[in-house]
Amino acid sequence: MRIYVETYGCWLAKADAQILLQRLGGVVAESPRDADMVLVYTCAVREDGEVRQLRRLEQLSAEARRLVVAGCLAKARPYTIKRIAGGAELIYPEQVEGGRERTMHNLPEPDGGLIYTAPLQVGCLGNCTFCVTKYTRGGAGYVRSAPPDLVVERVRKAVARGAREIYLTGQDVVTYGFDARWRRGWNLPDLLERILSDVEGEYRIRIGMSEPWVFGKFVDAILDIVKRDERIYRYFHLPVQSGSDAVLRRMGRRYTADEYRGLISKIKRELNDDVFIATDIIVGFPGETEEDFGHTLRLMEELQFDKVHVARYSRRPFTEASVMPGQIPDAVKKERSKLASELALRIAHARNSRLVGRRLRVLVDEVDHGLVVGRAPDYRQVVVGRGGGPLGSFIEVEVGRAEPVYLWAKGV
């Protein structure tokens, strides 16, 4: 069966789409017109993304012989999807493996690609008031983790088939093994140690998004591993969401701004600031004042993030924040988003500029619009050439210039 696949959202969604494709026994089709089935794996995190996906589903319903809609939006908006695409079959996130519940006993089979995405867990220990994912996938203490033997076996097979980057992904990666009470072998540091000891080869591991308050419980063990083994990218995605304690409380986040400052400062100190810190910020959350927003800008200035995903707050179904008083006008959210994004780019440019003249060992992993791009030891993007490139190879370069997103190798 020829299956055309479109995926929206996070790396966990991409992994789930791959599991579904393999379970359905299909081969990838290049376009909807060439396909026996169209599979769309959806995301429900943002309202603007929902609008785009619904519009696309309406279009595909007129083209596809058979339309399957899976993922978070399928669970959050089933009646809306059925209204605009009446013949669509729906698969909820917990049904990805074919049963009624998610077991995490079915991981993607390596396909010989340069990147292998390993979904370690689903669920979250948090209960954020803005989050629809806790409804669509699970949260507030619900966690399901993949068996460590299965993860190691898949990673070993992926590396043997040519993978050079291993993305450990999930809703909240550092909660891996919580359902096994974080016993020996069933926690993120132990899993990292096991992969590094059992899987030989030249590859890099990227740790996915983690909640700061849980990450803090394992930070010492994780940093010890990162310092000892260059196969782990010096990259951490730790969403802060706001620099205001008042807003963090309304969001249901389980840390203060000072506690978050302490975590990031510790990471930078332990790694001599040779690290890439990515974060997420929501502007315009209900009740956010100009003073609250100012606290966020000051936190960005102080912690000097390498990348900031700035999002305007949008109401999501089934969330407490959607009915909170003090909803912020769109014009105000847009202005705050503009200011935060501009500041984020200025800081990123300054952070990258420190590396001009430095020699880096880069893993070449993509060709993007004619640019050959690789990843530095901290996952920073480095343009190493134009045209084609030796994908999967490691090369030494000297950084010649810097931009907010890219470093450029000297001579390119």
Side-chain angles (χ1 to χ4, degrees):
M1 180 166 56
R2 296 165 301 169
I3 303 177
Y4 173 76
V5 182
E6 281 190 14
T7 306
Y8 297 86
C10 62
W11 281 99
L12 180 57
K14 292 179 174 64
D16 281 356
Q18 186 67 22
I19 292 171
L20 271 175
L21 178 66
Q22 292 169 355
R23 180 165 73 81
L24 293 168
V27 295
V28 176
E30 294 299 319
S31 74
R33 298 180 188 278
D34 300 329
D36 302 302
M37 174 193 294
V38 172
L39 169 63
V40 182
Y41 203 98
T42 60
C43 173
V45 169
R46 293 191 47 75
E47 184 178 26
D48 53 354
E50 175 183 318
V51 171
R52 287 194 299 272
Q53 290 170 76
L54 291 175
R55 189 180 301 125
R56 178 60 172 156
L57 290 175
E58 186 174 20
Q59 178 186 357
L60 287 171
S61 69
E63 300 178 11
R65 300 173 191 172
R66 181 182 174 192
L67 177 62
V68 176
V69 182
C72 290
L73 197 61
K75 187 166 185 178
R77 300 292 198 196
Y79 300 108
T80 303
I81 292 171
K82 282 290 191 179
R83 179 172 54 81
I84 66 171
E89 304 166 46
L90 303 184
I91 298 177
Y92 296 163
E94 64 268 23
Q95 299 171 329
V96 163
E97 296 172 44
R100 298 179 64 182
E101 290 188 39
R102 192 70 184 263
T103 67
M104 298 304 295
H105 283 76
N106 189 354
L107 301 187
E109 280 285 346
D111 60 4
L114 190 64
I115 298 171
Y116 177 69
T117 304
L120 298 188
Q121 58 81 236
V122 294
C124 179
L125 301 185
N127 192 20
C128 296
T129 59
F130 56 80
C131 183
V132 66
T133 309
K134 66 186 181 185
Y135 167 75
T136 59
R137 284 192 180 273
Y142 172 92
V143 174
R144 294 291 181 271
S145 304
D149 287 347
L150 178 59
V151 175
V152 174
E153 184 268 329
R154 288 289 196 275
V155 171
R156 183 187 294 112
K157 186 182 292 187
V159 172
R161 292 183 177 179
R164 291 296 173 262
E165 288 185 295
I166 308 298
Y167 290 175
L168 303 181
T169 191
Q171 268 174 259
D172 182 4
V173 172
V174 78
T175 64
Y176 173 76
F178 174 78
D179 42 330
R181 299 188 177 184
W182 284 326
R183 68 177 183 266
R184 186 172 179 82
W186 283 81
N187 58 64
L188 184 59
D190 284 356
L191 181 65
L192 290 171
E193 294 274 28
R194 174 96 184 270
I195 294 171
L196 293 168
S197 65
D198 289 6
V199 181
E200 296 182 356
E202 187 90 77
Y203 58 89
R204 295 291 181 267
I205 294 174
R206 190 194 73 174
I207 301 171
M209 191 276 290
S210 299
E211 282 299 307
W213 69 276
V214 187
F215 194 85
K217 299 178 185 299
F218 296 98
V219 63
D220 290 323
I222 291 172
L223 290 178
D224 182 56
I225 298 168
V226 170
K227 285 187 283 188
R228 283 189 283 108
D229 201 310
E230 66 176 4
R231 287 177 291 176
I232 306 238
Y233 281 123
R234 292 182 165 218
Y235 167 93
F236 301 105
H237 182 187
L238 301 166
V240 65
Q241 306 300 6
S242 175
S244 162
D245 285 344
V247 173
L248 291 173
R249 283 193 297 271
R250 287 196 295 277
M251 288 179 168
R253 306 293 284 177
R254 298 178 63 174
Y255 52 84
T256 65
D258 276 346
E259 287 168 342
Y260 184 88
R261 282 186 181 92
L263 176 63
I264 301 304
S265 298
K266 179 184 181 66
I267 293 171
K268 290 194 172 189
R269 184 172 61 252
E270 291 288 328
L271 298 179
N272 298 316
D273 204 15
D274 187 12
V275 63
F276 189 107
I277 303 290
T279 197
D280 301 345
I281 283 174
I282 296 173
V283 298
F285 189 79
E288 182 187 64
T289 64
E290 287 295 336
E291 183 180 7
D292 292 327
F293 179 60
H295 288 314
T296 296
L297 296 181
R298 284 192 289 277
L299 185 77
M300 291 170 61
E301 288 271 19
E302 179 183 344
L303 296 182
Q304 295 284 292
F305 296 111
D306 296 279
K307 184 173 184 178
V308 181
H309 306 271
V310 178
R312 301 176 213 165
Y313 169 74
S314 61
R315 285 176 159 172
R316 305 311 298 131
F318 317 113
T319 63
E320 299 90 332
S322 66
V323 293
M324 282 182 178
Q327 299 288 328
I328 306 297
D330 286 343
V332 175
K333 288 191 282 189
K334 185 175 182 180
E335 178 61 22
R336 290 178 185 175
S337 173
K338 179 174 179 289
L339 291 172
S341 297
E342 289 173 348
L343 175 59
L345 288 175
R346 288 199 299 273
I347 293 171
H349 194 184
R351 292 282 295 170
N352 278 348
S353 295
R354 301 171 312 132
L355 299 175
V356 173
R358 176 95 66 92
R359 293 199 64 82
L360 300 173
R361 190 162 187 255
V362 175
L363 170 58
V364 182
D365 66 353
E366 69 173 325
V367 177
D368 182 16
H369 293 86
L371 299 177
V372 183
V373 182
R375 298 285 180 171
D378 62 2
Y379 198 63
R380 214 173 293 266
Q381 290 182 288
V382 185
V383 178
V384 299
R386 295 183 183 274
L391 295 180
S393 63
F394 289 86
I395 61 174
E396 295 276 347
V397 302
E398 180 181 341
V399 179
R401 63 186 175 95
E403 294 176 352
V405 176
Y406 290 121
L407 298 173
W408 288 72
K410 191 172 183 179
V412 179

